[in-house]
Amino acid sequence: MSASHAPPVPQRYRGVWVRRLLATPTARDDSSVVRWLQTARWHADLRIPADARPAGDDDVGHLARQQGFIGVTTVHDDARGEVCTWHRHADLQPPAEVADAGWMVFDGAERVLEAGVHADDHEVWERMPGSVGRHAVVATPDDVPTTWLVAGRFAMRVRPRAAAWPADVSPGETLAGVVARHPGAAAGLLDFEISFGALDGGWWTIAHSTLPRLEGVREPLRLQRLDAATARVEAATGGLTARVLEWDADGAVVD
């Protein structure tokens, strides 16, 4: 689904959400690093399993267990309740067999409970303080765009891989399985950045990233809206021109 045709999600969904619990019939996870940033239409999601890096930051098998994606979000009602669907435009993992959708029940303003529509799982999410208010989404006009998303005082950067999936990849496979089968393609398949951190006064400190070398790095980051369709991004790589996908902020500068 394109963002231009997606209705905005209700205000209660916007901000940055931390997953506190994932429960399935066979497993329970309350220690992985999971961040879901949601604007009026766009989302970015980062999931780093707690044991994803025990063998070192460059261990291919463990890095391939990370998850993350970017796309647009829709919310609608069905017979069982309110359904949130995350339409993925780019995904660290291979394409899924079914849509990513969950029945959502808000347990107060800052906590939401999710039950999988197509999977037998339950998740508990809590909103991060300081993540509501302003939001902005801008992306470079490239074939493989880099996207910056801001919610409150937090930001995410998503740079999908340039490499194509091998021809034998099937929906529902795991990245770990693909790189085990194609070790020579591992570097390109793992070159997919999703970074999350706090934005403060034109500087961005990366707390979590699919690329471990970036964690703890402090970089310049400033978004300036030039007109309705265009923004300038001042980042570590210099000044970049970007398309405005969303902008709901006081003034023309987000830093």
Side-chain angles (χ1 to χ4, degrees):
M1 176 176 290
S2 70
S4 60
H5 294 94
V9 303
Q11 188 74 39
R12 60 184 174 275
Y13 281 91
R14 302 176 198 179
V16 177
W17 297 87
V18 178
R19 194 182 72 189
R20 297 302 186 191
L21 175 67
L22 166 66
T24 73
T26 59
R28 179 185 177 90
D29 178 11
D30 59 4
S31 55
S32 293
V33 172
V34 182
R35 301 290 185 268
W36 157 31
L37 187 153
Q38 180 65 54
T39 68
R41 289 182 172 85
W42 287 85
H43 67 258
D45 191 292
L46 170 63
R47 307 181 178 202
I48 303 174
D51 60 349
R53 299 172 185 168
D57 288 353
D58 59 352
D59 185 89
V60 169
H62 289 104
L63 291 179
R65 294 182 56 243
Q66 301 178 120
Q67 300 178 46
F69 45 89
I70 185 172
V72 297
T73 309
T74 57
V75 177
H76 73 277
D77 291 327
D78 73 1
R80 272 192 55 176
E82 191 167 79
V83 177
C84 188
T85 303
W86 295 269
H87 305 270
R88 303 181 182 186
H89 288 190
D91 199 334
L92 177 59
Q93 294 288 327
E97 293 182 292
V98 295
D100 184 3
W103 284 290
M104 312 296 277
V105 176
F106 279 81
D107 181 21
E110 308 302 321
R111 190 169 187 259
V112 64
L113 312 179
E114 175 188 347
V117 172
H118 304 292
D120 188 4
D121 59 32
H122 297 269
E123 299 177 66
V124 177
W125 299 88
E126 293 180 357
R127 182 159 34 211
M128 294 185 69
S131 66
V132 296
R134 68 179 186 178
H135 65 262
V137 185
V138 303
T140 58
D142 306 313
D143 291 338
V144 183
T146 297
T147 305
W148 288 264
L149 306 93
V150 174
R153 63 184 185 88
F154 298 99
M156 293 185 79
R157 179 172 62 205
V158 182
R159 179 187 55 78
R161 64 174 64 83
W165 288 111
D168 62 351
V169 173
S170 301
E173 280 198 78
T174 65
L175 178 55
V178 175
V179 299
R181 196 165 66 248
H182 297 278
L189 294 175
L190 289 170
D191 187 24
F192 191 124
E193 181 196 349
I194 306 176
S195 295
F196 170 83
L199 182 61
D200 182 20
W203 290 87
W204 182 44
T205 302
I206 298 173
H208 309 290
S209 179
T210 55
L211 304 180
R213 67 179 182 274
L214 296 179
E215 294 186 346
V217 172
R218 188 168 183 260
E219 298 182 349
L221 181 58
R222 183 175 185 265
L223 312 181
Q224 181 178 7
R225 188 170 187 174
L226 303 179
D227 54 42
T230 311
R232 181 172 177 82
V233 180
E234 297 293 343
T237 53
L240 302 168
T241 299
R243 296 176 293 122
V244 173
L245 305 181
E246 279 191 56
W247 196 281
D248 185 358
D250 293 334
V253 175
V254 171
D255 59 11

